[in-house]
């Protein structure tokens, strides 16, 4: 088991990696005590079962080690970078170096395209494809502590060694079915830098609330903006500043003074004084003073009326039938929100674009517009002209 702790060792391995068709990648990190993830370990594996083809890169033990050789490998377009459920890993590299590994292959997405189910886990793929089992005893561990135990190292390395077999199996299946372009379409979101950027002025859109009042939402927007900016600047979790339920409570009670804040039921003690309290009061004031023509409204995707509940139910039946027929996870084709939006008359939803249109969207539109109905033939559900 090889652990890399110097820049020269990393450069030597990455030079080998640039001669390979692909490299599998995973990370271990901590995020419980910070806004941005703390990178603790990078696991890499090249094709082949030789022991020196899989390594652990330890940026903590390798004090002063530069990850530049790894980033050069990530930018080499002749080598496919293979991850499983890549989003959080990619966010780390984007925040640290402003780059996204390319070309990119996410085995979770590919597995959904290949019919392994919704958001299939790595352990499931290891069992079904590699015919192996994983020791999960080190799953919830503090990866920032050193030295790492043998069990921790073995667990971490397994995240990239089995991934080689999984990638080769899934890429072969995709080639057989002609669905490589489907996965490529899905990679567009992961390849987009905007995926990993959280702008404080947009943070309010993630707050769940049933109150659609423009004034209420203006206060929510300003509180969420303050919370996000404060957490980013100090690299602390946003919930350490203000939890969602407390934020919504503040938007309802509209405190105007420290005395008003002290009566809040859900505020953390640290938020009742100092710069957080000051920021909360300024945010509430800004929301109250927001001009009427600048008041926010709930995103259209969160507020689409369901024009025909029966149609939404029919779309769910059609989706299940089409997903089964295509051997694709239904959740990858269309979300529940997509179906409700379609039933409410929306036409700019992901389910109507790209490969989804071919598999489901075309028939869904025909159903919505009353040109086809659904019929049962044996055990299958199919569309019939009306």
């Amino acid at each position: 088991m090889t652990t890399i702790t110097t820049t020269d060792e990393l450069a030597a391995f990455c030079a080998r990696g640039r001669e390979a068709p692909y490299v599998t990648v995973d990370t271990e990190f901590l995020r419980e005590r910070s806004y941005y993830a703390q990178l603790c370990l990078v696991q890499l594996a090249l094709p082949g079962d030789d022991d020196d083809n899989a390594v652990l890169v330890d940026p903590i033990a390798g004090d002063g080690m530069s990850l530049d050789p790894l980033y050069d490998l990530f930018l080499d377009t002749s080598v496919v970078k293979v991850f499983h459920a890549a989003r959080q890993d990619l966010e780390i590299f984007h925040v640290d170096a402003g780059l996204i590994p390319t070309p990119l292959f996410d085995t979770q997405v590919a597995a959904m395209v290949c019919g392994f189910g919704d958001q299939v886990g790595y352990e499931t793929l290891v069992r079904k494809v590699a015919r192996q089992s994983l020791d999960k005893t080190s799953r919830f561990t503090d990866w920032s502590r050193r030295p790492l135990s043998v069990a921790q190292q073995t667990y971490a390395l397994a995240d990239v060694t089995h991934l080689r077999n999984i990638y080769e199996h899934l890429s072969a299946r995709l080639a057989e079915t002609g669905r490589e372009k489907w996965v490529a379409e899905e990679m567009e979101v992961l390849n987009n830098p905007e995926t990993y950027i959280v702008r404080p002025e947009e943070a309010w859109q993630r707050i769940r609330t049933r109150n659609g009042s423009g004034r209420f939402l203006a206060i929510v927007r300003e509180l969420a903006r303050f919370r996000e900016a404060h957490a980013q600047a100090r690299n602390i979790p946003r919930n350490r500043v203000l939890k969602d339920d407390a934020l919504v409570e503040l938007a309802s009670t509209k405190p105007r003074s420290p005395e008003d804040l002290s009566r809040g039921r859900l505020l953390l003690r640290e938020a009742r004084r100092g710069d957080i309290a000051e920021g909360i009061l300024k945010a509430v004031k800004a929301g109250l003073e927001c001009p009427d023509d600048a008041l926010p409204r709930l995103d259209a995707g969160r507020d689409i009326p369901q024009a025909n509940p029966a149609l939404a139910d029919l779309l769910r039946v059609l989706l299940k039938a089409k997903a089964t027929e295509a051997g694709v996870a239904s959740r990858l084709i269309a979300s529940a929100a997509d179906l409700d939006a379609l039933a409410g008359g929306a036409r700019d939803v992901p389910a109507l674009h790209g490969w989804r249109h071919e598999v489901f969207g075309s028939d869904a539109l025909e159903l919505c517009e009353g040109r086809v109905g659904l019929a049962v033939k044996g055990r299958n559900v199919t569309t019939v002209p009306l």
Side-chain angles (χ1 to χ4, degrees):
M1 194 177 305
T2 301
T3 299
I4 289 176
T5 57
T6 70
T7 305
D8 287 344
E9 290 172 337
L10 180 59
F13 184 84
C14 290
R16 292 177 54 210
R18 297 179 77 163
E19 300 298 321
Y22 69 84
V23 57
T24 58
V25 189
D26 190 39
T27 67
E28 305 298 342
F29 56 87
L30 289 183
R31 201 167 194 165
E32 290 80 4
R33 299 186 293 270
S34 62
Y35 183 91
Y36 299 106
Q38 177 192 353
L39 180 62
C40 299
L41 199 67
V42 182
Q43 303 98 282
L44 304 169
L46 304 178
D49 295 330
D50 293 346
D51 289 345
D52 61 352
N53 279 358
V55 299
L56 304 176
V57 180
D58 192 339
I60 295 178
D63 186 30
M65 178 178 63
S66 170
L67 293 179
D68 286 349
L70 177 62
Y71 295 148
D72 289 341
L73 173 61
F74 282 170
L75 294 176
D76 188 332
T77 57
S78 69
V79 183
V80 178
K81 271 62 73 172
V82 181
F83 292 78
H84 181 82
R87 194 184 189 286
Q88 287 190 300
D89 301 311
L90 298 178
E91 181 182 352
I92 292 172
F93 298 128
H94 185 266
V95 169
D96 186 58
L99 61 81
I100 298 170
T102 185
L104 179 67
F105 188 99
D106 189 321
T107 56
Q108 184 176 70
V109 173
M112 293 169 75
V113 169
C114 291
F116 280 87
D118 293 336
Q119 293 187 317
V120 60
Y122 181 66
E123 182 185 9
T124 299
L125 289 179
V126 169
R127 186 177 67 254
K128 290 186 175 181
V129 176
R131 306 296 181 186
Q132 300 288 330
S133 60
L134 291 178
D135 180 358
K136 298 167 59 177
T137 55
S138 297
R139 184 176 184 181
F140 300 107
T141 190
D142 184 347
W143 291 100
S144 67
R145 299 186 65 179
R146 294 296 181 272
L148 294 174
S149 68
V150 172
Q152 285 176 306
Q153 295 177 62
T154 301
Y155 170 87
L157 211 55
D159 282 344
V160 288
T161 52
H162 297 309
L163 196 55
R164 296 177 296 200
N165 292 335
I166 293 169
Y167 166 67
E168 292 174 3
H169 175 82
L170 292 176
S171 58
R173 290 255 312 248
L174 292 170
E176 290 172 5
T177 56
R179 295 181 178 180
E180 298 103 321
K181 290 184 178 179
W182 295 16
V183 174
E185 284 184 34
E186 298 308 299
M187 292 300 100
E188 290 178 6
V189 173
L190 292 176
N191 281 316
N192 186 351
E194 290 293 317
T195 301
Y196 312 104
I197 298 172
V198 180
R199 293 183 172 84
E201 63 271 18
E202 298 172 357
W204 71 277
Q205 296 174 7
R206 298 197 306 270
I207 306 297
R208 294 184 177 275
T209 175
R210 295 182 180 180
N211 189 337
S213 159
R215 186 63 56 192
F216 172 84
L217 293 175
I219 300 173
V220 168
R221 179 178 63 189
E222 297 306 319
L223 286 168
R225 185 205 307 266
F226 159 70
R227 178 178 72 171
E228 207 72 24
H230 189 89
Q232 289 178 352
R234 289 158 180 79
N235 194 23
I236 58 176
R238 62 175 66 90
N239 282 345
R240 285 262 303 276
V241 181
L242 193 61
K243 293 185 177 180
D244 281 3
D245 54 359
L247 190 153
V248 172
E249 179 189 56
L250 290 168
S252 298
T253 58
K254 307 176 184 62
R256 292 168 173 80
S257 68
E259 292 72 25
D260 291 341
L261 275 184
S262 68
R263 289 190 283 270
R265 295 180 303 110
L266 302 174
L267 274 182
L268 297 172
R269 183 169 56 186
E270 295 81 359
R272 299 172 187 268
R273 60 180 185 272
D275 53 357
I276 296 181
E278 182 181 348
I280 289 173
L281 293 175
K282 286 182 177 179
V284 171
K285 184 173 185 292
L288 289 171
E289 295 176 353
C290 177
D292 289 347
D293 61 359
L295 293 175
R297 63 181 296 273
L298 290 176
D299 181 76
R302 298 168 62 181
D303 198 29
I304 292 176
Q306 186 172 301
N308 189 335
L311 177 57
D313 289 339
L314 289 174
L315 286 169
R316 285 169 169 78
V317 174
L318 177 64
L319 174 61
K320 184 173 182 179
K322 290 296 181 180
T324 301
E325 179 184 331
V328 180
S330 60
R331 185 172 176 177
L332 187 64
I333 299 173
S335 67
D338 285 343
L339 301 182
D340 290 340
L342 281 169
R347 294 297 179 261
D348 186 21
V349 296
L352 299 183
H353 300 285
W355 67 269
R356 292 175 174 83
H357 183 269
E358 173 188 344
V359 173
F360 168 75
S362 177
D363 286 328
L365 278 178
E366 294 281 293
L367 181 64
C368 289
E369 293 168 8
R371 290 197 287 268
V372 301
L374 299 182
V376 177
K377 292 186 178 180
R379 293 189 174 184
N380 299 322
V381 173
T382 185
T383 57
V384 292
L386 294 179

